[in-house]
Amino acid sequence: MLKKLLPATLLTLTTALTLGVLPAAQAAPAARAASSASAPVSDGRISTAFTLPGEKVYPEGIATDPRNHTVYVGSYADGTVYRARPGQRTAEVFLPAGADGRHTANGLRVDARGRLWVTDSTSGVSVYDTASRRRLARFEVAGTGGLFVNDLAITPDGTAYLTDSVRSVVYRVTPAQLAAGSGALLPAYDLSGHLTPSPAGSFALNGIVSDPAGRFLLAVDMTAGDLHRIDLRTGAISRVALQGGDLTHADGLDLAPDGTLRVAHNTTNTLTRWHLSPDGTRARLTRTITDPSLQIPTTLSHTPGRTLVVRSQFDKGGPMGPGTPTSFTVASVRDF
């Protein structure tokens, strides 16, 4: 089981799973540029929103509380969850490393009632009250064998859906299950038969979002560069028609109410913006930003006026390569 791994081994494996890490010789040019730059400088569109305290944070997930715009960021290295209130230039520790047995904190969402959902890639998901920091619920994947609980989305009715990058399934937690406080994390949709065949050892499902009306989910296959649509009424699974590009190396997704889909592509230091059709069957590429100052972006969160992007720095002394990281930060990208 993955949750039996030692922390150093766990970090190496989980990063490879989420990023689909390539051998150094095959890394994308933009990723190699990020590795060699001691202090990446952008062209002015990208600045630092706030800093995360710690020497080996290696952040991955991000979520914004829709009620007060407080931002939460999860550490991939040890499961710490940080909190940055509006105006703060340095985040604070909200949930300490290893709390409740967490090994990682990669997928984060805050639901409409202010509950913070935090995935642990090695086991499942926990739900916390943001006012008291008390854990409200815990759900773990049933069965044995490899697993990697990655990202999650929450629909308007309060149901959470979570991707598994190893098993190629989407799990579900209903409001009734959340009220019960615990239980098995069981698959709701199996996408294994719908994914483009990929090389042995590669991983597929990563970021996931729900449309604002709760009609469908979108889940990305980062290896093939495909986007899959799950109809929540019929259960039908289909591939979104992408125009102008693809979603290779896509990690985090953010879908705005106006149909704008924003995507972080990790190892290529790229952000893309897409216009999604109202029914979610087509997406057209409208903008691309590639910049080494993104420092291996993993996830993003868009609110009116700014887009926040996690700078993971996995290639700076982390499992992607040797080196020394700079301060760990969350970027703010304007006009995106």
Side-chain angles (χ1 to χ4, degrees):
M1 295 289 290
L2 294 179
K3 58 185 171 183
K4 300 299 184 182
L5 297 174
L6 295 175
T9 304
L10 175 66
L11 178 58
T12 300
L13 178 57
T14 54
T15 301
L17 293 177
T18 293
L19 299 182
V21 176
L22 296 172
Q26 300 177 30
R32 289 199 299 270
S35 288
S36 61
S38 58
V41 177
S42 78
D43 63 3
R45 294 171 296 185
I46 302 170
S47 60
T48 295
F50 55 86
T51 300
L52 302 167
E55 296 181 356
K56 294 186 177 182
V57 178
Y58 298 109
E60 208 280 345
I62 189 169
T64 301
D65 189 329
R67 305 167 307 158
N68 55 25
H69 301 294
T70 295
V71 180
Y72 298 88
V73 180
S75 168
Y76 212 15
D78 59 18
T80 301
V81 176
Y82 300 88
R83 177 177 64 185
R85 293 188 174 96
Q88 277 188 293
R89 297 296 295 173
T90 302
E92 59 187 347
V93 173
F94 180 71
L95 300 173
D100 304 313
R102 256 189 345 270
H103 290 293
T104 69
N106 44 307
L108 276 68
R109 297 283 178 181
V110 180
D111 65 23
R113 295 181 58 182
R115 295 170 297 206
L116 174 65
W117 296 67
V118 182
T119 65
D120 180 339
S121 58
T122 70
S123 55
V125 62
S126 294
V127 186
Y128 294 89
D129 176 67
T130 53
S132 66
R133 309 188 194 201
R134 181 172 64 92
R135 190 174 73 175
L136 304 174
R138 171 70 176 170
F139 301 91
E140 295 196 358
V141 176
T144 59
L147 62 104
F148 188 88
V149 183
N150 201 324
D151 207 351
L152 74 155
I154 301 173
T155 54
D157 67 357
T159 302
Y161 295 90
L162 307 92
T163 56
D164 190 316
S165 298
V166 170
R167 300 186 179 186
S168 298
V169 300
V170 173
Y171 303 111
R172 177 172 54 206
V173 178
T174 67
Q177 291 170 316
L178 179 59
S182 64
L185 201 54
L186 300 173
Y189 302 101
D190 185 345
L191 277 73
S192 58
H194 298 267
L195 302 179
T196 300
S198 58
S202 59
F203 299 88
L205 295 183
N206 200 326
I208 185 170
V209 290
S210 164
D211 87 298
R215 298 167 298 161
F216 57 85
L217 303 170
L218 299 176
V220 68
D221 177 348
M222 63 175 294
T223 300
D226 296 327
L227 187 63
H228 294 270
R229 181 187 187 276
I230 303 171
D231 190 304
L232 293 176
R233 182 179 64 86
T234 66
I237 300 170
S238 58
R239 193 170 299 170
V240 176
L242 301 178
Q243 302 171 5
D246 62 41
L247 294 177
T248 304
H249 302 299
D251 197 327
L253 308 179
D254 182 281
L255 181 59
D258 66 357
T260 300
L261 178 67
R262 295 174 172 87
V263 183
H265 302 247
N266 46 50
T267 59
T268 55
N269 287 316
T270 296
L271 306 176
T272 57
R273 190 176 68 196
W274 303 73
H275 177 72
L276 186 71
S277 64
D279 61 1
T281 62
R282 304 178 310 281
R284 177 174 51 86
L285 180 65
T286 61
R287 189 168 185 195
T288 300
I289 296 174
T290 298
D291 195 313
S293 73
L294 292 169
Q295 298 177 300
I296 313 297
T298 49
T299 52
L300 71 170
S301 176
H302 179 81
T303 55
R306 68 174 181 174
T307 302
L308 298 178
V309 182
V310 172
R311 290 163 158 162
S312 74
Q313 291 196 78
F314 282 127
D315 62 339
K316 297 288 186 67
M320 284 181 62
T324 302
T326 60
S327 296
F328 288 98
T329 62
V330 169
S332 178
V333 183
R334 64 178 173 85
D335 300 328
F336 184 72

